[in-house]
Amino acid sequence: QVQLVESGGGLVQPGGSLRLSCAASGSISNVIAMGWYRQAPGKQRELVALIPRGGKATYADSVKGRFTISRDNANNTMYLQMNSLRPEDTAVYSCTYKRIGIDYWGQGTQVTVSS
């Protein structure tokens, strides 16, 4: 089992920045990828950013150049740095660790971009 806890969400004005954190605990071996998804009200969940094991990060077109995914392996923590935030970035952001055949999810953290 893998337990994931997100933090760092909140209310920010357009153009502002937030950094989300995803702390992992439990049996985190054999993880093949980790990433961030988001779900806005009335919309389907969408991939924001993904880091495959040993590979290069990929991003949704809507966040390229504004968001950066990173990880601190020593502390089992993953981050999502979000800059130049827009109202359309408002959503619940969830982190995920993926193994073959199973995905683990955090509880999500709300990000609201509004003036």
Side-chain angles (χ1 to χ4, degrees), residues 38-91:
R38 67 185 181 186
Q39 187 168 20
K43 294 188 177 181
Q44 290 188 333
R45 184 166 60 192
E46 64 173 350
L47 175 66
V48 176
L50 190 73
I51 298 182
R53 188 185 191 100
K56 187 177 178 181
T58 58
Y59 297 90
D61 287 343
S62 59
V63 307
K64 280 181 182 176
R66 300 188 298 124
F67 290 12
T68 303
I69 188 172
S70 63
R71 60 188 175 191
D72 179 349
N73 291 330
N75 293 305
N76 296 327
T77 303
M78 179 174 61
Y79 302 98
L80 185 67
Q81 178 67 43
M82 306 186 294
N83 299 327
S84 302
L85 283 161
R86 305 167 181 169
E88 53 264 39
D89 295 318
T90 295

Side-chain angles (χ1 to χ4, degrees), residues 10-32:
L11 173 65
V12 63
Q13 292 187 341
S17 298
L18 282 175
R19 188 176 80 156
L20 305 182
S21 299
C22 175
S25 61
S27 178
I28 60 172
S29 60
N30 300 319
V31 170
I32 60 174

